[in-house]
C-alpha cells in the first residue's frame, strides 16, 4: 500500500549527512548504489567525501520531520544540469519517488533555470525509470558506459515536465 505523499525540501549537504548516507545498504540488485565507508570516501576525497565537491554539487533531501530521505548531485555540464540521486533504502518502493524527484528537479531549475536537466539510469532499473517517467522525464538516448563492474547499458532521460 502506498503511503501519503511527503513534502520534501532540499538543503546543502553537510559532512554529518554524508557520513550517514555512507551507512545506507540497498538490497540486491540495488546494492551497486551503496557507497564506500565514510572514512574511505573522506580519505580518497571522492564524490561527497571531497569537501569542495560536496559544497558545490551535493544536497540532501529532507522529509517533513527533517529526516534525511535522500541526496542529489547537480553535475554541471555545458547547458545541462545532470542530476544524480539516491533515496534512503527504507523509503524506496513506498510511492514517494515522484515527489522526491520533483523536489530535486525544482532545485535544479532554481540553480540554472535555462539549463536542460537530465539523468542517467541503468536500463534494468525499472523501479527508478517508472518514477522518472511520472516525474516528467523522457528517454532520449541509450548507451554503454563504464561502471565499477564493467560496461553497462544506460538510458539518458531528459526532463520535459513543468518548470515551476
Amino acid at each position: 500500500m502506498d503511503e501519503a505523499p511527503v513534502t520534501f525540501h532540499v538543503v546543502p549537504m553537510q559532512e554529518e549527512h554524508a557520513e550517514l548516507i555512507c551507512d545506507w545498504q540497498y538490497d540486491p540488485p540495488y546494492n551497486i548504489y551503496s557507497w564506500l565507508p565514510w572514512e574511505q570516501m573522506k580519505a580518497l576525497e571522492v564524490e561527497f567525501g571531497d569537501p569542495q565537491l560536496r559544497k558545490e554539487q551535493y544536497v540532501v533531501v529532507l522529509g517533513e520531520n527533517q529526516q534525511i530521505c535522500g541526496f542529489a548531485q547537480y553535475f554541471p555540464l555545458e547547458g545541462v544540469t545532470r542530476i544524480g540521486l539516491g533515496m534512503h533504502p527504507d523509503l524506496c518502493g513506498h510511492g514517494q519517488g515522484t515527489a522526491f524527484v520533483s523536489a530535486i528537479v525544482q532545485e535544479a531549475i532554481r540553480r540554472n533555470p535555462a539549463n536542460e536537466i537530465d539523468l542517467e539510469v541503468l536500463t534494468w532499473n525499472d523501479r527508478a525509470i517508472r518514477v522518472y517517467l511520472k516525474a516528467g522525464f523522457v528517454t532520449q538516448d541509450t548507451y554503454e558506459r563504464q561502471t565499477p563492474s564493467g560496461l553497462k547499458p544506460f538510458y539518458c532521460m531528459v526532463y520535459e515536465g513543468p518548470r515551476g
Side-chain angles (χ1 to χ4, degrees):
M1 180 78 184
D2 288 351
E3 296 174 14
V6 172
T7 301
F8 295 104
H9 61 281
V10 173
V11 300
M13 182 185 285
Q14 304 301 320
E15 185 170 333
E16 55 271 20
H17 299 137
E19 187 170 357
L20 289 170
I21 291 166
C22 286
D23 289 337
W24 295 355
Q25 295 300 313
Y26 295 91
D27 292 332
Y30 305 102
N31 56 331
I32 63 161
Y33 298 115
S34 298
W35 294 95
L36 293 170
W38 173 241
E39 291 305 321
Q40 198 173 352
M41 295 268 296
K42 208 163 107 172
L44 295 171
E45 293 190 332
V46 293
E47 298 296 341
F48 49 74
D50 175 335
Q52 190 66 33
L53 196 61
R54 183 172 60 247
K55 179 181 175 196
E56 293 172 2
Q57 296 184 15
Y58 281 93
V59 297
V60 290
V61 182
L62 302 178
E64 291 163 342
N65 299 320
Q66 303 304 306
Q67 81 278 19
I68 301 174
C69 296
F71 67 90
Q73 178 184 21
Y74 299 98
F75 188 80
L77 300 170
E78 189 65 40
V80 176
T81 301
R82 174 154 295 157
I83 57 175
L85 57 111
M87 184 179 245
H88 191 294
D90 294 345
L91 300 176
C92 294
H94 293 283
Q96 299 174 355
T98 304
F100 177 78
V101 172
S102 294
I104 292 167
V105 166
Q106 291 310 309
E107 176 65 11
I109 293 167
R110 187 194 70 74
R111 287 172 175 235
N112 289 295
N115 276 10
E116 179 176 86
I117 300 166
D118 73 8
L119 56 80
E120 296 178 314
V121 58
L122 285 157
T123 58
W124 59 260
N125 194 344
D126 294 333
R127 181 172 74 181
I129 292 165
R130 279 193 305 275
V131 168
Y132 300 149
L133 290 169
K134 283 184 192 171
F137 284 83
V138 297
T139 303
Q140 185 178 66
D141 198 7
T142 306
Y143 46 82
E144 288 193 335
R145 82 172 179 77
Q146 199 59 246
T147 72
S149 57
L151 277 178
K152 301 289 180 197
F154 283 82
Y155 293 131
C156 179
M157 298 182 75
V158 176
Y159 182 71
E160 290 189 353
R163 293 198 163 244

